[in-house]
Amino acid sequence: MKPKIIGLGLSGLIGSRITQLLGGKYEFVSLSRSAGVDITKKETLDVIKTYKDANFVLHFAAKADVDGCEKDKDLGLNGDAWRINVGGTRNVSEICRETGKKMIYVSTDFVFDGQKPEEESYSEEDRPSPINWYAKTKYEGEKAVKGSGADCIIVRTAYPYRAKHDVKKDFVRVIWDKLNDDLEIKAVTDHIFCPTFIDDLAFALDKLIENDEAGIYHVVGSSAISPYGAALKIADIFGLNKDKIRKTTREEFFKDRAPRPYNLNLKNDKIKQLGVEMRGFDDGLLEIKRQLSEPNP
């Protein structure tokens, strides 16, 4: 019998790849709105109590549209961003406490304000200070999980990407498609982030589950880069036209949208100490190129 894991939000960009890669080792129970589960309504989560042989709840469900969340800000506690990312997360964590299940909550690098100098990075011990509403709700979600009394792992990740997904395009695919169509793109130079290859995230989650770990882990790629630098690497590795890539700034690109932090270079030493390889962006793109040459990546 494979160990059973309850999952919320498993149909998304990350969750669907997790189940694809780890489905041979674990039995995933997907609880979704189509199955009558709405995390903002705690009573619908009672179904979790019926899975007595599942020890983990993997919580991906969130409102993750940064600019969409910013539009919710004026609605405060009544907006979807707060109701889902905070209230829903609190409901899940309370059910986990009541049933003795360990909760794995997937959070974001955006919980930091990005004010550190470029040569410095954020560790799990650094204090979050979110600057947009999405990040605020995700950090409040973290606090709700920690304050619930449930056993938990908080996984902060950043800009996830993968070889292929039929429903949602990640940032690599968006850039690749535009350059492949010979369209001009504008790429920000004054934002630093750590793109995360979802396959590596999957195996990190596997190790965290296998070791029954607890606490906060930064599960991000091993190279810090700007969106402009990332676009150039995508063009290089896939043989696309770099002349179509134009420089821009956060101020220009995100005008009238949610503010973005500058430096989101996160340390991933802690997860690496568990023997997990978190690839840099070059290696992640090369693996995608290899997978896309296969019939079933």
Side-chain angles (χ1 to χ4, degrees), residues 19-33:
T19 57
Q20 186 179 12
L21 290 172
L22 302 183
K25 183 173 181 178
Y26 302 103
E27 178 186 346
F28 288 94
V29 177
S30 179
L31 301 181
S32 63
R33 296 193 69 165

Side-chain angles (χ1 to χ4, degrees), residues 174-185:
V174 169
I175 292 172
W176 190 95
D177 281 352
K178 286 186 176 181
L179 293 178
N180 192 53
D181 291 338
D182 207 32
L183 298 175
E184 181 178 290
I185 67 166

Side-chain angles (χ1 to χ4, degrees), residues 21-22 198-208 276 279:
L21 290 172
L22 302 183
I198 293 175
D199 293 23
D200 295 341
L201 173 57
F203 294 117
L205 289 171
D206 179 33
K207 185 63 70 173
L208 291 169
V276 177
R279 273 169 275 211

Side-chain angles (χ1 to χ4, degrees), residues 158-159 161 171 192-197 200 220-226 230 233 264-268 272 278-285:
Y159 290 83
Y161 64 97
F171 82 97
I192 300 169
F193 66 113
C194 298
T196 308
F197 187 42
D200 295 341
V220 298
S222 292
S223 54
I225 193 169
S226 70
K233 286 188 180 294
L264 289 182
N265 184 2
L266 269 57
K267 291 181 181 178
N268 60 11
K272 283 185 172 181
M278 298 301 299
R279 273 169 275 211
F281 195 48
D282 292 78
D283 288 339
L285 291 178

